[in-house]
Amino acid sequence: MFSPRFPQLRSIRGRTFATSTTLSALNAVARSTAQQLSADWKGTSATGGTTKNFIGGEFVESKTTEWIDLPDPSTQTVLSRVPQATHDEFEQAVDAASQAYKTWSRTSVITRQRFVMNLQQLLRENADSIANSIVLEQGKTFADARGDLLRGLQVVETATAVSTTLLGDKLEVSKDMDTYVKRVPLGVCASIAPFNFPAMIPLWTIPIAAVTGNTLVLKPSERDPGAAMIIAELCQKAGLPDGVLNVIHGGVPTVNAICDHPAIKAISFVGGDKAGRHIYERGTQNGKRVQANLGAKNHAIVMPDANKNLALNSIVGAAFGAAGQRCMALSVAILVGEAQSWLPELVERAQKLKVSGGFEPGADLGPLISPAAKKRVIGLIGSAEEDGGNVVLDGRNLTVPEYPEGNFVGPTIIEAGTKMKCYQQEIFGPVLIVLRAETMDDALDIINENRYGNGAAIFTQSGATAKKFETEVNVGQLGVNVPIPVPLPMFAWSGNKASVLGDIGFYGKSGINFYTQNKTITSLWRAEDAVGTRASVNMPTHH
Ligand code: NAD
């Protein structure tokens, strides 16, 4: 049985070394942050303890025998152990959500609105705790972790408009006959999240599901569930009744249980292609509504008339920020015509980025999530060399002296072709593929032939060029001189092609549509049948 006192032996890329659970490998800032988080929050530990399930309003220790180690990606210190929840625990979570649905779905819209208003305030007040948890478990820098939470917070803020958003249609369709539409909740819903945005993505679903009257079973990524546990506690403090939100941990068995459970009516999934296709197919076969956001390969076209400084800084930031672990990372730059001569300067700016632990002052990017992710990224860089690509900036051998065991890869730039594996696959690391094109039309052809369709950007100073790009490019989220055009949540996520499955996007009006179904009511109440009118004193004539 696990004892937090003894080091665990882990084998990573052929090397076996000890991962400390005594926090000795953490530096002073990380150690005190870990201790503070563990003391302050009921559901999460960052000091070698366990992550709890959240069922029916209680943070409960799992009775499982299967635990998943959660190592800090900078030092491999085991911060927490995440349960593979048991079948009974999963059933309890769904039962709690089913029970809570009976009353929550009947609460007034004002009550539900008040919950999200309270939640936005609490999230703001506790932003640093959530960001700290993300830095420890996920590895991104503190500033970037705050951005992770703040982008989720914007969904909560938008959800506060629900009393207006849910206003429906009504028409008198015949004399005294009215038809009106009510948008009613679906029931128990489930949300399955990836590791790369531990706060933002749970917050894509929690506020909208709850504010529309649904109840939710959330399965965070087993690699960094701490932020979700803090958010769950804040939901409770914001007045969310027991059972409306439940958090259950685990990997594939939990996901499959979600896909199969008859009480679960809808699934929101964000993550990679393999899991997404599986969940979409299994969930829809079981009659569930499924929205699934998958992988991506996002291109930036750099026109020769672009503002060079803006274009290069934007591309470097969007390619390497969060160590490239963003589904909207700019992972391909297409240099058009004379802009091809800017490559050395792009390399120069990428070289200047500081790679280090997420708490380190001045760090621009942190480690990858796991040794396996690092190995995969290094393998894909190597494949470029085998396929005839040119690695013009190579981050494979980067070492960060303060963190010798960290999963670091430095910014990498590869001149490649579209047939190469490094271009065809999502790398999900700090790797920018550079392609050359003679004309804008050639660049558009490249993007349109790519199977993914999350996002694309163009850098130009010509309105006409921007208009042509907007009209002809076939991806869902476009940036004109904007590198990461993720729409704010008054709009909906709008990736397309192989980057999404399902027809109803996340948040915005789509989010409301996903979590509601229409009821149209046609009612006849004849005015002449009204009772309680004044008595008639005239002699009845039976007409
Ligand atoms: P992942 O697919 O490995 O995991 C996502 C979730 O699915 C996790 O909760 C995990 O437990 C579960 N899961 C993993 N493998 C599974 C399987 N075989 N069967 C069933 N469930 C499984 O993804 P990740 O590595 O956590 O996240 C990175 C991926 O997410 C990238 O591909 C990225 O592009 C994508 N992503 C997409 C968006 C978007 O909006 N399009 C946003 C963020 C991340």
Side-chain angles (χ1 to χ4, degrees):
M1 196 57 195
F2 170 80
S3 156
R5 297 240 173 98
F6 299 111
Q8 309 261 295
L9 285 180
R10 295 175 59 80
S11 175
I12 293 169
R13 288 209 291 134
R15 287 181 308 146
T16 302
F17 56 87
T19 55
S20 168
T21 54
T22 56
L23 305 189
S24 55
L26 295 182
N27 67 22
V29 175
R31 193 161 52 239
S32 69
T33 305
Q35 284 161 344
Q36 194 67 52
L37 276 177
S38 306
D40 289 349
W41 302 97
K42 295 179 196 162
T44 183
S45 160
T47 52
T50 58
T51 301
K52 309 288 184 283
N53 288 319
F54 181 57
I55 302 174
E58 302 283 335
F59 290 91
V60 280
E61 179 83 23
S62 175
K63 295 194 167 52
T64 189
T65 52
E66 280 180 66
W67 294 89
I68 304 156
D69 278 353
L70 194 167
D72 147 36
S74 294
T75 66
Q76 313 303 333
T77 302
V78 175
L79 300 168
S80 188
R81 295 185 341 125
V82 182
Q84 169 51 62
T86 65
H87 173 75
D88 283 354
E89 288 159 358
F90 176 73
E91 289 290 332
Q92 286 160 18
V94 179
D95 285 352
S98 301
Q99 283 303 321
Y101 181 73
K102 292 178 190 164
T103 45
W104 181 247
S105 59
R106 304 289 300 129
T107 52
S108 75
V109 69
I110 299 297
T111 302
R112 290 182 260 130
Q113 182 185 39
R114 195 167 303 125
F115 155 65
V116 274
M117 284 176 164
N118 293 344
L119 180 62
Q120 69 82 22
Q121 178 68 21
L122 289 169
L123 287 170
R124 210 167 272 289
E125 285 167 11
N126 293 280
D128 282 0
S129 287
I130 295 170
N132 280 332
S133 168
I134 294 172
V135 177
L136 280 168
E137 295 187 355
Q138 203 273 353
K140 63 178 76 172
T141 64
F142 183 74
D144 199 31
R146 275 189 62 97
D148 184 329
L149 185 257
L150 292 177
R151 288 307 295 252
L153 179 56
Q154 287 162 347
V155 182
V156 182
E157 288 168 343
T158 306
T160 61
V162 65
S163 50
T164 314
T165 320
L166 284 184
L167 277 178
D169 295 330
K170 181 170 180 178
L171 184 68
E172 186 175 51
V173 291
S174 183
K175 182 167 179 281
D176 292 340
M177 182 183 281
D178 296 315
T179 297
Y180 56 97
V181 185
K182 276 169 91 170
R183 273 191 273 174
V184 298
L186 305 178
V188 179
C189 301
S191 174
I192 302 167
F195 80 83
N196 66 324
F197 282 100
M200 178 181 83
I201 288 174
L203 288 171
W204 280 3
T205 56
I206 295 169
I208 306 185
V211 90
T212 48
N214 298 280
T215 58
L216 193 68
V217 175
L218 168 68
K219 194 208 84 63
S221 171
E222 62 276 31
R223 301 195 253 186
D224 50 17
M229 299 318 296
I230 298 174
I231 291 169
E233 196 169 334
L234 293 175
C235 285
Q236 190 170 49
K237 288 187 174 150
L240 196 66
D242 294 350
V244 177
L245 171 67
N246 304 275
V247 188
I248 196 90
H249 300 289
V252 177
T254 314
V255 170
N256 287 342
I258 287 171
C259 293
D260 294 344
H261 201 295
I264 293 176
K265 304 298 178 207
I267 304 175
S268 300
F269 168 83
V270 181
D273 294 353
K274 184 173 171 230
R277 275 197 297 269
H278 168 72
I279 291 165
Y280 184 79
E281 279 162 22
R282 194 156 168 164
T284 51
Q285 271 164 20
N286 285 325
K288 301 181 198 315
R289 185 178 282 188
V290 182
Q291 55 178 186
N293 275 7
L294 315 179
K297 202 86 178 171
N298 308 301
H299 300 66
I301 300 181
V302 186
M303 298 301 292
D305 71 345
N307 174 327
K308 185 175 169 186
N309 185 49
L310 171 74
L312 297 185
N313 279 346
S314 299
I315 291 170
V316 166
F320 304 118
Q325 298 174 113
R326 292 183 186 137
C327 64
M328 283 292 284
L330 275 182
S331 48
V332 185
I334 310 178
L335 307 182
V336 177
E338 286 164 23
Q340 293 173 20
S341 65
W342 299 353
L343 180 57
E345 221 173 306
L346 190 67
V347 172
E348 208 177 290
R349 293 184 193 211
Q351 260 168 336
K352 289 191 181 138
L353 296 178
K354 181 177 170 187
V355 185
S356 193
F359 289 118
E360 297 293 339
D364 292 305
L365 53 142
L368 292 169
I369 187 68
S370 65
K374 176 173 174 174
K375 186 176 171 196
R376 187 177 161 276
V377 168
I378 286 176
L380 281 165
I381 300 170
S383 80
E385 286 174 322
E386 288 157 23
D387 290 346
N390 182 18
V391 182
V392 288
L393 178 64
D394 191 347
R396 279 175 291 187
N397 296 319
L398 174 113
T399 51
V400 180
E402 299 83 8
Y403 299 97
E405 307 295 356
N407 312 319
F408 296 99
V409 174
T412 298
I413 298 181
I414 305 172
E415 274 190 276
T418 54
K419 300 275 179 287
M420 296 180 193
K421 195 171 160 188
C422 66
Y423 173 75
Q424 291 290 335
Q425 289 195 14
E426 180 186 43
I427 298 178
F428 224 57
V431 182
L432 176 69
I433 303 297
V434 173
L435 305 176
R436 293 168 187 266
E438 286 315 309
T439 65
M440 181 191 183
D441 288 311
D442 296 339
L444 286 168
D445 286 346
I446 292 171
I447 300 177
N448 290 342
E449 277 163 28
N450 192 281
R451 70 179 199 280
Y452 290 116
N454 242 12
I458 191 162
F459 292 91
T460 179
Q461 302 214 58
S462 154
T465 302
K467 197 71 190 167
K468 179 178 164 72
F469 171 74
E470 176 191 317
T471 309
E472 295 185 16
V473 77
N474 183 17
V475 305
Q477 307 184 119
L478 313 189
V480 175
N481 298 320
V482 172
I484 306 186
V486 173
L488 286 172
M490 57 293 274
F491 300 95
W493 185 270
S494 52
N496 70 20
K497 296 197 274 184
S499 294
V500 296
L501 285 170
D503 301 321
I504 317 182
F506 282 80
Y507 58 79
K509 284 183 194 140
S510 283
I512 298 282
N513 288 340
F514 183 80
Y515 282 114
T516 55
Q517 53 195 343
N518 285 349
K519 252 188 194 175
T520 53
I521 299 102
T522 300
S523 64
L524 176 64
W525 293 108
R526 291 186 196 281
E528 65 216 49
D529 292 340
V531 289
T533 47
R534 266 199 308 274
S536 171
V537 292
N538 297 338
M539 182 63 188
T541 59
H542 304 299
H543 277 110

